[in-house]
Amino acid sequence: MSSATSTLPAHWSAILDEMHLRLDHAIASASERVENTASVDHQPFARQTHLEIEKWCDRLARLRTYLESAEQIVQSVDETLESEERAIRENLSVASTLRQKLATVGGGAIG
């Protein structure tokens, strides 16, 4: 840019030229980084990630099996407790009936 034809002050031309050089340098650096990134083999990273996912899937499968087993144990214990509770309630009912009979027969001396 010549200072005779420019409407900008003389120092603006140098500033604009410097900006142009910096932009060219930035574009060249960015292009170089893109080329270097494109040449990087992403397969090892993908393989590593895939292996990690497989490990977590295996862990989750083992955990699911463990939880199903624990659920079966809890179900079995629950059924046992239910059966024992039923037996205790029957024994309490029989004891109550016997107490009433003894109270009636004994003239109220029991209980």
Side-chain angles (χ1 to χ4, degrees), residues 84-98:
E84 292 300 317
E85 181 182 10
R86 197 173 24 255
I88 289 172
R89 288 186 189 279
E90 288 173 5
N91 287 340
L92 284 173
S93 176
V94 168
S96 178
T97 303
L98 285 176

Side-chain angles (χ1 to χ4, degrees), residues 34-67:
V34 167
E35 287 176 15
N36 288 340
T37 302
S39 66
V40 172
D41 183 17
H42 295 286
Q43 289 299 324
F45 302 117
R47 246 187 317 269
Q48 182 65 27
T49 302
H50 183 71
L51 289 173
E52 286 295 319
I53 290 172
E54 283 182 355
K55 285 180 188 177
W56 280 105
C57 286
D58 289 343
R59 289 176 185 158
L60 287 173
R62 287 193 311 269
L63 181 59
R64 182 184 314 120
T65 302
Y66 174 77
L67 290 175

Side-chain angles (χ1 to χ4, degrees), residues 66-79:
Y66 174 77
L67 290 175
E68 287 172 356
S69 171
E71 187 175 329
Q72 290 174 354
I73 292 169
V74 168
Q75 180 69 29
S76 174
V77 168
D78 190 45
E79 289 171 0

